[in-house]
Amino acid sequence: MNAASRPDGPVETSVADGHKAVLEGPDIRRALTRIAHEILERTKGGDDVVLLGIQTRGVTLAQRLAALLQEVEGRPVPWGSLDVTMYRDDLRMKPARALSRTDLPAEGIDDRIVVLVDDVLYSGRTVRAALDALNDLGRPRAVQLAVLVDRGHRELPIRADYVGKNLPTSKRENVRVLLAENDDRDAVVLGPKEERKK
């Protein structure tokens, strides 16, 4: 059964192992379309906007947002990718992870409105790392944050400017964003947190 939209929100679709899809492809498309229009409204047409997706799925979302902004404005919107691995404050507490690419648009970010794009906002620590990374790359006029899902449980005073869906969760739950470009399917899946093997 596919999720269908209702006036009170999408139907939750059962997935294996107690996981359920709380958003499906059409819901994600609508959320991104709304965010794109909000960006244009807040930045007065988006002339100086640069989208930077936080690796990995934030990059895919930034690319999709750039395409939506271009549909509305009729001109390309610069976008790029940001790897925050070396700026994270949990590097010594987690297993080593592979570095990804940071690619800035040719226009750079100096004196631009940089919209950081990520899939899930949780503790805020990834966004803090992204802000530190930006400091080494240039000096934006302003930095804003767009996320597909805000699941709460902030540990730092960070708030998104643009949110696709606020999703109240327990810390015992896991939120996964699946995107067709990375996962062959668009969905936001909620399920029990997997216990780490010791």
Side-chain angles (χ1 to χ4, degrees):
M1 180 178 80
N2 290 329
S5 293
R6 287 181 177 170
D8 59 349
V11 175
E12 293 178 350
T13 306
S14 293
V15 185
D17 301 325
H19 290 71
K20 59 189 176 187
V22 293
L23 292 179
E24 292 282 1
D27 308 304
I28 291 173
R29 166 83 183 182
R30 281 191 293 274
L32 292 177
T33 300
R34 179 170 42 78
I35 288 173
H37 284 280
E38 289 174 358
I39 290 172
L40 291 173
E41 183 177 343
R42 184 163 178 174
T43 61
K44 298 178 172 52
D47 287 340
D48 296 324
V49 166
V50 173
L51 302 173
L52 281 186
I54 299 173
Q55 293 280 7
T56 297
R57 283 164 185 77
V59 178
T60 303
L61 293 171
Q63 186 175 11
R64 289 191 190 184
L65 279 171
L68 289 167
L69 292 169
Q70 183 170 351
E71 279 179 27
V72 176
E73 290 298 298
R75 57 178 172 72
V77 173
W79 65 277
S81 62
L82 188 63
D83 177 39
V84 303
T85 302
M86 299 308 298
Y87 296 87
R88 295 189 62 91
D89 61 5
D90 60 0
L91 269 180
R92 52 195 162 74
M93 298 168 2
K94 291 189 175 179
R97 61 183 84 191
L99 295 177
S100 300
R101 291 176 59 94
T102 291
D103 285 316
L104 296 184
E107 299 87 342
I109 62 171
D110 288 337
D111 203 34
R112 307 293 293 251
I113 300 171
V114 172
V115 179
L116 293 171
V117 184
D118 206 3
D119 54 353
V120 179
L121 178 58
Y122 184 27
S123 67
R125 293 183 182 275
T126 298
V127 176
R128 183 209 57 80
L131 293 170
D132 287 348
L134 280 181
N135 279 336
D136 285 348
L137 296 171
R139 192 175 189 278
R141 184 191 333 153
V143 180
Q144 299 175 357
L145 175 63
V147 297
L148 181 60
V149 175
D150 184 344
R151 63 168 295 184
H153 305 292
R154 214 75 75 242
E155 296 171 3
L156 297 172
I158 287 172
R159 183 172 65 90
D161 300 277
Y162 313 102
V163 178
K165 182 172 180 62
N166 287 294
L167 185 63
T169 63
S170 155
K171 286 191 174 184
R172 294 186 302 275
E173 292 177 306
N174 185 44
V175 176
R176 286 182 58 217
V177 172
L178 307 175
L179 298 174
E181 296 90 332
N182 308 90
D183 311 290
D184 298 321
R185 175 192 174 194
D186 278 359
V188 174
V189 179
L190 180 66
K193 197 168 195 174
E194 296 176 5
E195 294 295 327
R196 283 190 183 162
K197 295 180 181 176
K198 294 184 179 177

